[in-house]
Amino acid sequence: MELRHLRYFVQVAEDLHFARAAARLGISQPPLSQQIRLLEEELEVQLFERTSRRVTLTAAGTAFLEAARATLAQAERAITVARRAGRGELGDLRIGFNPSAPFIARVATAVNDFRRRFPDVRLSLSEMIGSAQIAAIEDRSLDIGFMRSASPPALPANLSSTLILEERLVVAMRPDHPLAVRETLWLADLAEHPLVIYSSQRSGGFTEEVFALMRRAGAEPVVAQSVHEVTTLLGLAAAGVGMTIIAESLRAIQSAGLVYVPLADEGTSTSMWLVHLREGGTLPCANFLGIMQGA
């Protein structure tokens, strides 16, 4: 038995007229009548009572009609699911990100656009450091990663990185800090001023890169406090515990208790990178990458 046999039967059952049913199905009447007879032979039951004046369903035909309709509806659902999955409209998309990625407009817009365009894809977002993202993408427990690094991240051969944003570093401090009146700052200006820093276990190398820049400029970092959350970082800076150095996009976390002064030294910038498998990614991943390219 094939699905077409069920379609033939349902059409005849609805029209109770072989000629009309054949016309609706786009076939001639004799082949339709033959297919119905073959179906009855396979089922070993009579589905229709036929006379020269009319066609009616038998009791078996009436019972079979309900089951046939349900089978055809389920088949249509299966076809729809397969086609949607083939377009990447179903499935999972797992994204890893560093703490500042959601504050980058291009990233936030892409995530929002993806959720709007592919609402039936299960979207999983996980905050993790860059090295953990790389390992997770390699073992396919993560599809995409957003990680921060001044230079292109060192990746295995099967992974690819794309520059999303390069932005300058700024110093956040209370308005009454002695350096707050400056339009720009040099790293050497930060010598001996206490800093609130993002924990190296959570920064994915960002803190180490900042420290290396300061030391090259002759300013040894003076750490007043190490924290694990971005909001704590800025909150303690606003409380006067120390200055903090952040990517400019984090200014999106508005705080009336802070001023932001850009650094003027060469190389005082940081970049956000999009990392994914070079080949073999999922269709939802490909759809998200397409959105990122157009963002």
Side-chain angles (χ1 to χ4, degrees):
M1 185 188 305
E2 301 177 13
L3 287 177
R4 65 187 176 92
H5 295 132
L6 297 182
R7 293 191 184 96
Y8 292 167
F9 164 75
V10 169
Q11 192 64 61
V12 175
E14 290 177 349
D15 289 329
L16 295 177
H17 194 286
F18 275 81
R20 281 198 297 269
R24 293 182 193 277
L25 292 166
I27 61 176
S28 60
Q29 182 177 338
L32 175 59
S33 299
Q34 181 185 24
Q35 292 299 320
I36 295 298
R37 282 196 298 271
L38 291 173
L39 179 60
E40 289 176 321
E41 290 174 6
E42 182 175 353
L43 295 175
E44 298 181 349
V45 296
Q46 186 175 347
L47 298 173
F48 295 101
E49 292 280 359
R50 305 168 180 83
T51 70
S52 59
R53 301 182 64 179
R54 66 176 188 163
V55 176
T56 59
L57 282 165
T58 64
T62 299
F64 187 59
L65 178 58
E66 181 179 353
R69 283 172 170 159
T71 299
L72 289 173
Q74 181 58 41
E76 287 298 323
R77 285 193 291 271
I79 291 169
T80 298
V81 167
R83 288 173 176 168
R84 294 190 68 199
R87 295 192 296 265
E89 296 175 1
L90 299 173
D92 298 274
L93 179 64
R94 299 153 299 180
I95 299 177
F97 61 93
N98 86 320
S100 61
F103 298 99
I104 294 175
R106 185 178 175 189
V107 176
T109 297
V111 171
N112 182 64
D113 286 351
F114 184 87
R115 293 186 65 185
R116 178 172 48 81
R117 292 169 57 181
F118 302 98
D120 294 324
V121 173
R122 292 181 294 271
L123 182 60
S124 174
L125 301 168
S126 303
E127 182 181 339
M128 60 179 69
I129 62 173
S131 57
Q133 291 185 45
I134 293 170
I137 295 171
E138 268 212 294
D139 68 19
R140 295 178 181 267
S141 59
L142 202 66
D143 299 302
I144 289 169
F146 288 101
M147 57 193 71
R148 187 173 289 285
S149 175
S151 56
L155 299 174
N158 61 330
L159 267 59
S160 174
S161 65
T162 302
L163 178 64
I164 298 302
L165 174 71
E166 183 178 4
E167 56 185 333
R168 59 184 178 177
L169 298 175
V170 299
V171 183
M173 69 198 87
R174 285 177 57 87
D176 58 3
H177 192 283
L179 298 180
V181 296
R182 301 274 295 274
E183 291 187 3
T184 58
L185 287 170
W186 298 90
L187 287 167
D189 297 328
L190 309 186
E192 301 182 3
H193 287 283
L195 296 173
V196 180
I197 65 165
Y198 199 53
S199 167
S200 58
Q201 288 77 23
R202 299 288 298 277
S203 71
F206 175 77
T207 298
E208 289 78 5
E209 288 177 356
V210 169
F211 282 2
L213 287 170
M214 291 183 66
R215 288 178 177 129
R216 281 202 295 270
E220 182 64 28
V222 177
V223 178
Q225 185 71 42
S226 175
V227 303
H228 290 81
E229 303 294 336
V230 172
T231 52
T232 306
L233 186 77
L234 297 177
L236 292 183
V241 174
M243 301 184 299
T244 189
I245 301 173
I246 59 172
E248 189 172 21
S249 56
L250 284 176
R251 294 179 63 172
I253 306 176
Q254 295 296 325
S255 173
L258 291 174
V259 296
Y260 302 90
V261 182
L263 287 166
D265 303 70
E266 183 179 353
T268 49
S269 63
T270 182
S271 298
M272 184 66 68
W273 301 85
L274 170 63
V275 177
H276 58 89
L277 288 169
R278 288 187 182 276
E279 298 178 351
T282 66
L283 287 171
C285 177
N287 287 337
F288 184 84
L289 293 175
I291 290 174
M292 281 297 305
Q293 290 170 0

